[in-house]
Amino acid sequence: MKKFSKEIQIALVAIVGVVVLFFGLQYLKGKTLFSTDNNYYVKFSDVSGLSAASPIYANGFKVGVVEDIVFDYQHQSNIVARIGIDNQLAVPADSRAEILTDLMGNVKVELVMGTGAAIAPGDTIFGCQHEGALGQAAGMVPQIEQMLPKLDSILASINMLLADPAIANSLHNIDQITADLTKTSHDLNALTTSLNSHMPQMLENADGLLANTNQLTKSLNDLDISSTMASVNTTLKNVEQMTNQLNSKEGTLGLLMRDPSLYSNLNATMMHADSLMIDLKAHPKRYVHFSVFGKKDK
């Protein structure tokens, strides 16, 4: 077998390297080697960072890539992108291609499928932009700018509030209250423990008290209320009769209470008796005569 010279071998290696480099670059761009994808064209007014090899998705599934982007210098509002779509996917005529940009800055094309008849390869698809997450964030920037002065005012008020010595005093008081609550909780636990230890004795005493109450209730039930009330009524009647006799002029007590002459006579009698007793003490010999020999005093 005839061998090639070193120069021919180097040339063959260089050609193979260039071919491999070319297909490698195409692969890195997302293009399928020896692709059989259908080519379509999409018109955009603004591609917003879209470039060749950007992926194309339909319902979240990758169905192709952007193969080339051409700027129409005569009609500057038109930017035409040539895209390759899997030949197994039929693209309806009312479909549209939306450019999406995520928060990381990655750009892709979302193919929103329509419901009409499929278009032929080489036809043009309507293209537009979708705000996406970055667009929504950009729409919030004016509102955030309006809120910044209010946030500055709120932060200044918070700083003034935190610098107030009353806050430190309040925190100190809160610490004291917490300590007091802890002590109170400890005391309550001790009281609960004491109550638990005395609870059997208290229950026993309560049972004894309940038994005494039941006995008292039984004794009250055994009493003859009718006879007792009859005796009380009789006693009250006797008291009433006695009161009536005292109020009347009949009888000694009634006369004594209502007749002033009887009172005067009793009073005079008491005075005479008193005088008699005084004279008896002063001159006992006038009333008592006593002699051992039987001799009478003159």
Side-chain angles (χ1 to χ4, degrees), residues 68-171:
D68 193 13
I69 298 177
V70 178
F71 183 75
D72 189 351
Y73 289 96
Q74 295 181 354
H75 302 85
Q76 297 181 6
S77 60
N78 292 331
I79 301 176
V80 180
R82 182 167 56 88
I83 62 175
I85 302 296
D86 192 343
N87 57 7
Q88 297 182 0
L89 179 64
V91 180
D94 55 347
S95 301
R96 67 180 186 274
E98 296 181 349
I99 299 176
L100 298 178
T101 305
D102 58 19
L103 292 175
M104 300 300 295
N106 300 319
V107 182
K108 66 178 181 178
V109 176
E110 181 71 24
L111 189 60
V112 181
M113 306 299 291
T115 58
I119 60 176
D123 288 344
T124 302
I125 302 174
F126 174 73
C128 62
Q129 280 186 316
H130 190 277
E131 290 185 355
L134 289 178
Q136 295 176 359
M140 295 175 61
V141 170
Q143 299 178 0
I144 294 174
E145 290 178 350
Q146 294 178 359
M147 291 175 61
L148 287 178
K150 297 181 180 179
L151 291 176
D152 292 337
S153 177
I154 293 173
L155 290 176
S157 300
I158 292 174
N159 291 331
M160 291 178 61
L161 181 63
L162 293 177
D164 192 347
I167 298 296
N169 294 332
S170 299
L171 293 177

